[in-house]
Amino acid sequence: MQKYVCDVCGYIYDPAIGDDAAGIKAGTSFADVPADWVCPTCGIEKNSFSPAE
């Protein structure tokens, strides 16, 4: 699955890991992450992420 990187701080959302603190289970694709989810590092909105290379 595609990883996504925060355009502000560089945090990488890895679907294989998810985001336990936000209740997003491992295996959750970025497309399935709720729209109100924010970067756990800097708090920026989901729409400020880009596909990681």
Side-chain angles (χ1 to χ4, degrees):
M1 279 193 264
Q2 175 71 51
K3 295 178 184 179
Y4 280 76
V5 62
C6 177
D7 296 332
V8 175
C9 73
Y11 168 84
I12 295 176
Y13 174 78
D14 184 345
I17 298 170
D19 182 4
D20 263 352
I24 299 171
K25 297 182 182 199
T28 303
S29 71
F30 192 74
D32 292 333
V33 171
D36 62 351
W37 177 80
V38 296
C39 177
T41 301
C42 72
I44 200 74
E45 298 173 346
K46 179 183 174 186
N47 63 5
S48 293
F49 278 69
S50 301
E53 295 186 21

